[in-house]
Amino acid sequence: MRFNRRGVFMRYSQLLIPTLKEDPAEAEVVSHKLMMRAGMIRKLAAGIYTYLPLGYRVIRKVEQIIREEMNRAGAQEVLMPAVQPASLWKESGRWDHYGRELLRVRDRKDTEFCIGPTHEEVVTDLVRMNVRSYRELPLNLYQIQTKFRDEIRPRFGLMRGREFIMKDAYSFDRDEAGVDESYRKMFDAYCRIFERCGLEFRAVEADTGTIGGNFSHEFMVMAETGEDAVACCDSCSYAANTERAGIRKEPAAASGKAGTLEEVRTPGKKSVEEVSAFLNVGPEKLIKTLIVMDGEGHAAVGLVRGDHELNEIKLKNRLGWETITLADEETVQKVTGGPSGFSGPVGLTGVPVIADHGILSVTEGVTGANRADLHLVNVRVNRDFTPDAFDDIRIAREGDGCPRCSGRLKISRGIEVGHIFKLGTKYSESMGATFLDEDGKSRPMIMGCYGIGVGRTAAAAIEQNHDPDGICWPVPIAPFSALILPLSAKSKEVVDLAEKFYGALREKGIDVLLDDRNERPGFKFKDADLIGIPCRIVIGDRGLKEGVVEIKERRTGEMTRVAVEEAVPKVLSLISG
RNA sequence: CGGGGCGUAGCGCAGUCUGGUUAGCGCACCUGCCUUGGGAGCAGGGGGUCGGAGGUUCAAAUCCUCUCGCCCCGACCA
């Protein structure tokens, strides 16, 4: 508790807190609904929001925690431009690779710019211009700033906006040992940050995506509504995004008898479900044959069991491609000679065929025949076809084997609030961010980058901390720590005491909100529950007659009646407890 | 970008199929009275280019064409 500063204090009657009685039609998830209903945010356009006083106070609290922990970890705060010249992005190569998510604009001289979705280019430029010697490393620069990504589908309010506030940090080191240390410091700082925000989270291994690099962790706030699936081992500490989660190779099932390869007619039956139902065999007997392509005209084939799902990221990484999509009809025709829905590995040539380990358990399989309306039955791996390679290319499912131990994976959902990467030299090399080492040799700096979605963190906190009446803010990120609720705006005794508490709490450094509106009690109670201030002091004539006020904890609903003079100490202990 | 849906008062919606009073309801808002321990009551009131443009018609929120915005599913995504 910071007693060296005065708390912020505000009167409800003077704040813009437009609460709503009903859920807005557009809101799908609870954090979005409650942020709208509590008057924290309002939408200006798809994925673009205004932060109202209450919402902005939460944002600022989260930011402050982030600042304190980043500074503690030795990072330095800067602020980089939101508008960035295309030339920098062309240097790094991302102008062409980032895609439509990058909002591109032209200035009056027709020079191209973008609205920064991230700042690797800018920070790398800054450092290459100003840092020359190993003596100046390591260096970690961070900023808290508004970014813009033209998401294909913004949704869920602040959870997935196009414009959003992000803390991004970039580390520069001399060598691998240095970047390991920088990464570790950020990992620890992130744990502290999310702990301080009062969130239940997990750090999980993650794919690095288009930002590149070779190592990364995501910080996931566990919540049903999370957009990411996380696989956690039930017996060791292994945890990973299912985009990345490895799957232990299971011993292949005992090879049963295999009949002879046969063609069967399967008119119009394309999907696993259709074929499985039509031939009356379980989906685990099917071998799904997925034709994929990249943006440069390459094609490849992935094989997974019918009851498994292809993990495109794993396959993309296995193939060493930049991008991956399921092939269009034309490519499928070219690769297999047949229409999509009837592809199979038997007789396929001219493309790399990567098989998931899982298909080894298929002894009498069903696959497409690469001709319309025909499938093959009694297909056997390594007899009727031989993949070019076996690998782990499917999405982890509940119950799959942990890749690290003999445990099993459990799948749960999470909200990605932070992501840390070891970038390596991807940007320093392409953009020439080098330094002179002790022996006078020029070497590229080794980079790391570290992001936290500020608004998303606030939203995630609501997903984890709410009840049917509204938000239950954790104290550290609550817009106010205490709410004073005088039941009457007319009783002088009540009003005077409310004012007295208001001043006293502020002196103690508590952020306190006084509901001085001349409204009926029920009305104020409902708003109080909705906006979720952790600690509420209710002052009414009835209690005052006995010299007591009520103190109620929002989260537990626990109410204590205390003597007037004990109210402030009680609030302090609740808030710091 | 594919599929589906929605744009009517600040919010939530009815009316559209089957064209035809002055476009309605609940909440919110304003005024007055009343009320004050869980979103009170009564009375009065303000607020709408029915997303926009064009068309059909004696007549369009309603039918047709185009367009813009938004939402959901999918693909996509530090």
Side-chain angles (χ1 to χ4, degrees):
Chain A
M1 194 56 51
R2 299 173 301 269
F3 290 106
N4 58 342
R5 77 170 179 87
R6 283 186 168 184
V8 167
F9 66 118
M10 287 185 175
R11 291 172 191 275
Y12 202 127
S13 63
Q14 287 161 33
L15 277 175
L16 180 63
I17 309 176
T19 56
L20 304 172
K21 201 177 284 190
E22 291 169 281
D23 286 334
E26 67 188 37
E28 188 81 354
V29 297
V30 69
S31 61
H32 187 193
K33 288 178 182 169
L34 287 175
M35 279 189 168
M36 292 291 295
R37 287 192 52 205
M40 295 174 62
I41 57 168
R42 285 294 181 265
K43 186 174 71 177
L44 182 65
I48 302 178
Y49 290 85
T50 296
Y51 305 92
L52 277 61
L54 222 46
Y56 194 46
R57 289 190 58 81
V58 173
I59 295 292
R60 295 280 295 256
K61 293 242 170 155
V62 174
E63 287 179 355
Q64 190 53 33
I65 290 171
I66 292 172
R67 275 199 180 91
E68 288 170 16
E69 294 303 332
M70 291 303 290
N71 293 345
R72 183 206 296 268
Q76 303 169 52
E77 186 165 10
V78 295
L79 183 58
M80 292 181 268
V83 176
Q84 310 178 9
S87 54
L88 273 184
W89 285 72
K90 286 176 177 164
E91 257 190 89
S92 72
R94 285 206 292 183
W95 186 256
D96 295 323
H97 283 110
Y98 212 91
R100 291 121 332 260
E101 204 179 316
L102 185 64
L103 182 63
R104 297 153 209 254
V105 294
R106 287 169 187 274
D107 71 3
R108 65 204 297 160
K109 290 181 295 189
D110 222 28
T111 306
E112 290 179 300
F113 288 85
C114 63
I115 312 295
T118 177
H119 282 68
E120 282 80 13
E121 281 78 3
V122 176
V123 78
T124 305
D125 177 65
L126 176 75
V127 170
R128 74 177 166 185
M129 304 296 274
N130 296 284
V131 177
R132 312 235 152 68
S133 159
Y134 72 93
R135 290 175 210 273
E136 297 169 89
L137 300 178
L139 180 67
N140 187 327
L141 301 173
Y142 78 96
Q143 65 175 346
I144 296 175
Q145 195 226 28
T146 297
K147 303 209 185 305
F148 195 95
R149 289 180 197 172
D150 201 354
E151 293 275 353
I152 292 169
R153 191 145 94 81
R155 59 187 132 171
F156 304 154
L158 296 194
M159 201 87 92
R160 193 174 196 71
R162 295 146 93 199
E163 186 179 289
F164 57 99
I165 299 171
M166 179 171 208
K167 187 285 302 180
D168 49 327
Y170 306 89
S171 68
F172 298 83
D173 279 281
R174 307 164 58 172
D175 51 27
E176 279 300 324
V179 73
D180 284 349
E181 177 65 7
S182 295
Y183 189 89
R184 191 193 57 75
K185 277 187 183 162
M186 285 297 106
F187 189 98
D188 292 346
Y190 274 41
C191 290
R192 295 183 61 97
I193 288 165
F194 297 120
E195 267 161 32
R196 282 186 59 186
C197 288
L199 296 169
E200 185 207 326
F201 70 97
R202 246 195 121 133
V204 308
E205 293 182 15
D207 185 72
T208 51
T210 59
I211 200 158
N214 43 33
F215 196 65
S216 107
H217 283 91
E218 286 170 338
F219 287 76
M220 295 285 191
V221 169
M222 306 319 295
E224 285 297 313
T225 47
E227 291 188 88
D228 290 281
V230 177
C232 299
C233 178
D234 62 6
S235 73
C236 75
S237 64
Y238 182 75
N241 193 308
T242 52
E243 288 179 346
R244 176 187 170 95
I247 300 166
R248 173 160 27 96
K249 186 177 160 186
E250 304 280 356
S255 49
K257 57 179 181 333
T260 348
L261 191 65
E262 267 182 71
E263 276 185 358
V264 292
R265 284 192 47 79
T266 49
K269 308 299 178 190
K270 295 183 166 192
S271 69
V272 167
E273 298 76 49
E274 287 166 349
V275 174
S276 166
F278 184 75
L279 298 177
N280 198 24
V281 295
E284 74 284 352
K285 298 279 188 197
L286 270 59
I287 296 173
K288 256 196 288 198
T289 304
L290 297 136
I291 321 299
V292 295
M293 55 192 233
D294 68 359
E296 289 149 27
H298 301 107
V301 173
L303 302 178
V304 296
R305 239 166 58 184
D307 58 329
H308 289 156
E309 255 186 285
L310 175 69
N311 184 324
E312 291 183 19
I313 291 170
K314 285 181 182 175
L315 182 56
K316 182 188 81 171
N317 293 341
R318 179 66 173 75
L319 293 164
W321 288 359
E322 290 276 317
T323 61
I324 192 167
T325 52
L326 285 179
D328 50 32
E329 189 61 41
E330 188 192 342
T331 308
V332 172
Q333 276 286 351
K334 207 161 66 191
V335 169
T336 70
S340 68
F342 300 96
S343 303
V346 178
L348 265 193
T349 53
V351 282
V353 176
I354 314 294
D356 185 71
H357 296 306
I359 70 162
L360 284 167
S361 68
V362 181
T363 51
E364 294 183 291
V366 176
T367 73
N370 297 326
R371 278 186 290 155
D373 300 337
L374 282 177
H375 276 75
L376 300 174
V377 298
N378 297 327
V379 177
R380 188 151 206 187
V381 189
N382 293 333
R383 180 192 74 179
D384 301 319
F385 69 96
T386 309
D388 296 299
F390 282 92
D391 207 335
D392 166 16
I393 58 166
R394 68 182 176 89
I395 296 175
R397 291 193 304 188
E398 180 90 17
D400 282 335
C402 169
R404 297 276 167 80
C405 75
S406 59
R408 296 272 152 202
L409 298 179
K410 297 186 78 70
I411 309 292
S412 40
R413 302 203 69 82
I415 299 162
E416 179 194 351
V417 290
H419 202 157
I420 61 179
F421 301 81
K422 278 188 208 171
L423 284 178
T425 54
K426 172 170 170 155
Y427 297 94
S428 50
E429 270 178 12
S430 62
M431 296 181 62
T434 60
F435 66 101
L436 287 183
D437 211 339
E438 284 167 284
D439 54 10
K441 248 173 72 182
S442 176
R443 305 199 348 214
M445 297 177 196
I446 306 192
M447 294 174 58
C449 80
Y450 317 93
I452 293 179
V454 176
R456 192 184 278 189
T457 299
I462 295 175
E463 292 290 334
Q464 271 190 356
N465 299 283
H466 69 273
D467 67 16
D469 292 318
I471 304 168
C472 308
W473 286 114
V475 173
I477 60 173
F480 294 92
S481 301
L483 171 72
I484 300 171
L485 197 157
L487 287 172
S488 163
K490 296 203 172 126
S491 159
K492 182 167 185 333
E493 224 187 334
V494 167
V495 171
D496 286 351
L497 187 58
E499 293 285 345
K500 199 178 134 198
F501 285 155
Y502 187 47
L505 286 170
R506 179 196 175 212
E507 287 303 318
K508 295 289 187 188
I510 304 297
D511 295 338
V512 53
L513 177 64
L514 171 63
D515 191 348
D516 59 338
R517 296 173 300 170
N518 182 18
E519 296 287 354
R520 300 168 62 83
F523 196 90
K524 291 183 170 185
F525 285 137
K526 287 291 184 189
D527 272 343
D529 288 340
L530 186 56
I531 67 179
I533 309 298
C535 179
R536 180 195 309 174
I537 310 174
V538 177
I539 306 165
D541 279 318
R542 200 183 290 176
L544 282 193
K545 284 198 186 104
E546 303 164 40
V548 299
V549 296
E550 288 163 19
I551 295 182
K552 189 168 179 183
E553 244 183 305
R554 175 66 183 88
R555 182 183 302 276
T556 61
E558 199 176 299
M559 192 265 280
T560 18
R561 289 157 64 84
V562 300
V564 167
E565 55 276 13
E566 286 163 26
V568 170
K570 173 71 181 171
V571 169
L572 290 177
S573 81
L574 270 182
I575 289 170
S576 49

